[in-house]
Amino acid sequence: MAKLDWLENNQYAEREANRQKGWAAWLLWAIALVIILIPVRGSAMNLYYLHAAEDTPSVTGRVIYLNPSPHRGITGGKGGHYEAKVDIEYQGEAYYVTNTGFNFTHGMYEQACDSGTVPVYLNRDNPAKSVLSKGVPFMQYFATGIFSLIALFLIGAGAYLMKCRLKNNSL
């Protein structure tokens, strides 16, 4: 019986390797889910709101709060980053708009500070998600696409590991 010890150790090593492949697959799927839920979803929703307001007329909003943001992002746009709170009225309802969009420039900021008003490009479906500037830079689409591809790669790698695990279990 001592001659078969190597066989039991080999089977144990295979079971352990399969178990580790399963954990690795679940870990890759969890990372992909986090990537999809945080940067991809957030960016996609922002793109959706910007496109919803793209072809609509502007309404005049009253500036409540408008300051340069200490947070800088990678957008590739020509505008700066500003924190804003603008009051608009649409169909008898009051809404607060906080999205400046990607192309809110320093000139627009100066004009808004001087006049106390700013044009707001209306999102008719959700007026609170209207924007203060139109346009989306290419870098925003590019970053969203890259994160989506990374998530898809991780999902595929997890599926491959699970397939290898199941294949080895059936042998």
Side-chain angles (χ1 to χ4, degrees):
M1 287 289 193
K3 293 181 180 181
L4 295 180
D5 285 344
W6 68 270
L7 183 61
E8 289 177 13
N9 286 339
N10 193 26
Q11 289 172 345
Y12 172 77
E14 285 180 20
R15 280 194 310 269
E16 195 61 27
N18 285 338
R19 188 174 69 83
Q20 289 175 354
K21 286 178 186 175
W23 281 108
W26 283 106
L27 179 65
L28 290 175
W29 288 335
I31 293 170
L33 182 65
V34 168
I35 289 173
I36 289 172
L37 288 178
I38 296 173
V40 172
R41 182 186 172 276
S43 182
M45 292 299 292
N46 201 11
L47 289 171
Y48 170 77
Y49 292 133
L50 286 166
H51 283 294
E54 190 72 29
D55 296 328
T56 60
S58 66
V59 297
T60 302
R62 185 175 55 89
V63 175
I64 295 173
Y65 176 78
L66 184 61
N67 278 331
S69 174
H71 307 291
R72 304 281 306 174
I74 300 174
T75 62
K78 60 185 176 190
H81 297 276
Y82 298 93
E83 293 176 350
K85 188 173 186 181
V86 176
D87 181 33
I88 63 168
E89 188 172 316
Y90 179 67
Q91 294 182 345
E93 296 283 326
Y95 298 97
Y96 292 112
V97 176
T98 58
N99 190 351
T100 58
F102 291 109
N103 294 319
F104 193 78
T105 63
H106 186 70
M108 296 167 85
Y109 167 76
E110 292 291 331
Q111 185 179 3
C113 288
D114 290 342
S115 68
T117 61
V118 65
V120 177
Y121 299 96
L122 191 63
N123 179 345
R124 291 183 180 141
D125 298 333
N126 190 350
K129 297 295 182 178
S130 298
V131 294
L132 303 182
S133 66
K134 290 184 179 185
V136 180
F138 171 75
M139 190 62 180
Q140 187 65 32
Y141 291 112
F142 183 74
T144 304
I146 291 296
F147 277 112
S148 299
L149 288 174
I150 290 170
L152 287 174
F153 173 76
L154 292 174
I155 290 169
Y160 177 76
L161 285 174
M162 195 59 79
K163 177 185 168 193
C164 290
R165 177 181 180 248
L166 295 175
K167 182 179 176 183
N168 287 342
N169 280 343
S170 67
L171 293 178

